[in-house]
């Protein structure tokens, strides 16, 4: 019996050790946007007591990470509540939220923050309907507790104006309704991503700025904006109702918050009250009545992680603790923690859809404007573009970008243009110099286009010369050695060719060969000798004479070239201490520094442009969603990369090189058409 008992005890110990060893060797794949892979690798080097190992799985962006988790290519990914909404829309998904990221100040709070209405205690109202006509104070446009949540709740009231006027954009519908419902307000911020529209709206709905510190500007910073600012507006600027969140109400009045004790405050909480949905009032010192809440951020995984959840949770906590003091790149961009939100809490595993509903946050995300809901329909010509468009639609919708983006597929560019003409869709993209001709043929007009680089400008075809050269105008280039971007490119072929023809320096007959004769010192125009680019079999050897190494215009100029015809997007490859721009667009010629490409160039390059059949009033509505999405992702391509590679394919929907979208009012499409017509005569266009 003793021997059997000892054997049983040994087996139990062995089993425990085996289980511990299995747990110790557990490995999990954390998905990370590829731009943060170096940070993720750095995180793997951080020592922890936990023996759990993590592996970094790169993805295009967080949306692709969600798909990787769903497909078991990864095990977990950090997620905002909006990402959880996107996850809930993925077919056949089994996501689960297994850890929350909270603040050290409120480690036990159920939600990140709760939205409340604060009024003067003696305000004589007994229902939300009686908010009509009051002076309101808000955190800012498009913010959750000060804008989205109040709109979500108020639009249910019959006294709140309807927001389904399709002659104006959904955003303008919101502003119009708020300005009609409240007598005066303070709602600062950028109301439209288009500066012209933003200015027009603030002028037309100026009463929404009347309660601000700076009504004429109606933008940040403003003493009556933000969480505390809305309360200052209420207490000290004749406001009657403020929309903010609980934690800042308590701080404003010096009441304790979580682990933070009460403090001195000049404000008297007994003069104010929370206004509840049923119209009742609750003293500020009591438990607040909240309209809706924003959930915490956290970690999403698939159901398989639940089998060995404790070791994974412990590993994440230890990493968070290791990074909290210095907050390295991986702390912020790989784990998704932040300066304030870094307390990692274990929650009962829950589906994203249930987690959002618990906070009434799904209703906030899905807030509409009344039937029929407005959509903007993008026309695409491939299954890949259709898939990207649909992902973009769900992502944009989760971020409160309206109107909702819809996607229509046709077999060709021409079919898309016809679809827009016949109201089967709203927008179709056209590349390069075809914008003017497509506009005329289908009775359409350009609405917005791509921009490039940090300066968010169109690309320009530019001519680069060495600083120590004596080249100052086009005549100085005759018989010189030229370097070009590849055959067919606007910067390398089209712009210099059109320039020479337009200046009558070469004839349009055999124009490519004639360009080679103009630069008789020899040229490098990569691809000029390919049969498809030289169907007449002309002698173009002089246009390959200066090609060497990688064949690039940059290397050609560095070696023995005199001028390089490249795109402004290529200028980062040149040393500004050694090279300058030749200003061929100026009558007097001259030179300028590399940063001056918008005023010193050969010609503006055409961008991919989206065309519509609608009048200007509807253009604002049509452009609002794409422009707002581009603005949102300007610094956050890790959330959803609308420009980069898509499943290893280039230029899907938008060019890889694009960095933003802009309205087209400054684009000279007729100039592009004339370029196209001239080059068509010499068989290049």
């Amino acid at each position: 019996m003793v021997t059997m008992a000892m054997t049983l005890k040994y087996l139990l110990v062995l089993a425990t050790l085996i289980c511990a060893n299995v747990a110790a060797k557990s490995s999990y794949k954390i998905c990370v946007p590829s731009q943060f892979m170096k940070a993720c690798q750095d995180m793997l080097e951080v020592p922890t007591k936990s023996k759990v190992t993590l592996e970094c799985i790169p993805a295009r962006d967080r949306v692709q990470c969600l798909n990787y988790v769903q497909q078991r290519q990864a095990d977990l990914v950090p997620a905002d509540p909006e990402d959880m909404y996107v996850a809930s829309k993925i077919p056949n998904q089994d996501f689960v939220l297994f850890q929350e990221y909270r603040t050290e100040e409120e480690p036990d709070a159920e939600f990140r923050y709760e939205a409340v209405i604060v009024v003067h205690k003696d305000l004589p109202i007994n229902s939300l309907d009686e908010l009509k006509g009051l002076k309101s104070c808000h955190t800012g446009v498009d913010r959750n507790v000060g804008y989205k949540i109040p709109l979500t709740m108020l639009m249910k009231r019959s006294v709140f104006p309807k927001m389904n006027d399709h002659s104006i954009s959904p955003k303008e519908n919101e502003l119009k309704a708020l300005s009609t419902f409240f007598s005066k307000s303070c709602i600062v911020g950028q109301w439209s991503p288009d500066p012209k529209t933003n200015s027009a709206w603030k002028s037309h709905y100026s009463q929404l700025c009347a309660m601000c510190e700076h009504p004429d500007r109606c933008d940040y910073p403003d003493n009556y904006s933000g969480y505390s600012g809305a309360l200052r507006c209420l207490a000290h600027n004749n406001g009657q109702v403020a929309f903010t969140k609980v934690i800042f109400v308590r701080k404003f009045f010096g009441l304790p918050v979580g682990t933070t004790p009460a403090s001195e405050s000049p404000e008297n909480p007994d003069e104010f009250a929370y206004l509840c949905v049923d119209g009742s009032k609750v003293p500020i010192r009591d438990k607040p009545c909240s309209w809706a809440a924003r959930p915490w951020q956290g970690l999403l995984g698939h159901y398989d992680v639940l089998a060995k959840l404790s070791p994974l949770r412990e590993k994440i906590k230890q990493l968070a603790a290791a990074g909290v003091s210095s907050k390295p790149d991986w702390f912020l961009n790989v784990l998704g923690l932040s300066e304030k939100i870094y307390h990692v809490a274990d929650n009962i595993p829950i589906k994203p859809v249930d987690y959002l509903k618990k906070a009434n946050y799904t209703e906030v995300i899905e807030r509409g404007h009344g039937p029929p809901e407005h959509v903007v329909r993008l026309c695409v010509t491939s299954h890949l573009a259709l898939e990207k468009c649909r992902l973009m639609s769900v992502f944009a919708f989760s971020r409160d970008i309206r109107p909702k983006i819809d996607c229509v597929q046709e077999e060709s560019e021409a079919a898309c243009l016809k679809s827009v003409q016949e109201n089967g869709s709203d927008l179709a993209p056209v590349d390069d110099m075809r914008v003017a001709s497509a506009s005329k043929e289908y009775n359409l007009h350009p609405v917005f286009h791509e921009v490039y680089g940090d300066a968010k400008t169109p690309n320009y075809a530019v001519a680069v010369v060495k600083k120590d050269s004596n080249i100052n105008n086009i005549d100085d280039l005759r018989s010189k050695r030229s370097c070009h971007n590849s055959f067919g490119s606007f910067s390398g072929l089209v712009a210099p060719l059109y320039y020479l023809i337009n200046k009558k320096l070469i004839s349009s007959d055999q124009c490519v060969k004639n360009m080679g004769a103009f630069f008789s010192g020899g040229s490098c125009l990569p691809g000029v000798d390919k049969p498809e680019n030289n169907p007449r079999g002309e002698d173009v050897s002089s246009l390959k004479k200066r090609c060497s190494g990688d064949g690039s215009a940059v290397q050609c100029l560095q070696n023995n070239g005199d001028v390089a015809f490249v795109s402004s997007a290529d200028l980062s490859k040149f040393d500004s201490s050694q090279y300058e721009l030749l200003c061929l667009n100026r009558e007097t010629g001259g030179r300028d520094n590399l940063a001056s490409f918008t005023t010193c160039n050969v010609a503006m390059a055409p961008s991919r442009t989206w065309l519509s059949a609608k009048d200007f009033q509807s253009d604002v509505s049509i452009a609002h969603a794409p422009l707002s999405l581009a603005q949102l992702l300007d610094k956050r391509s890790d959330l959803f990369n609308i420009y980069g590679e898509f499943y290893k394919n280039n230029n899907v929907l938008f060019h890889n090189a694009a960095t933003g979208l802009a309205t087209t009012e400054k684009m000279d499409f007729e100039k592009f058409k004339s370029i196209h017509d001239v080059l068509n005569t010499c068989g290049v266009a």
Side-chain angles (χ1 to χ4, degrees), residues 472-474 499 503 581-593 596-602:
N472 284 289
N473 53 53
I474 189 63
Y499 185 88
K503 293 293 183 182
L581 296 176
L582 179 61
C583 308
L584 295 180
N585 62 320
R586 299 176 186 172
E587 287 297 325
T588 56
R591 308 234 296 250
D592 211 332
N593 62 72
S596 301
F597 60 85
T598 60
T599 55
C600 177
N601 53 67
V602 181

Side-chain angles (χ1 to χ4, degrees), residues 614-644:
K614 303 297 166 62
D615 56 27
F616 172 76
Q617 188 78 300
S618 294
D619 276 359
V620 174
S621 179
I622 287 170
H624 188 85
L627 291 178
S628 296
L629 179 62
Q631 184 183 59
L632 169 69
L633 298 175
D634 183 29
K635 305 295 184 186
R636 294 302 309 270
S637 61
D638 59 302
L639 296 177
F640 186 77
N641 189 349
I642 59 174
Y643 307 118

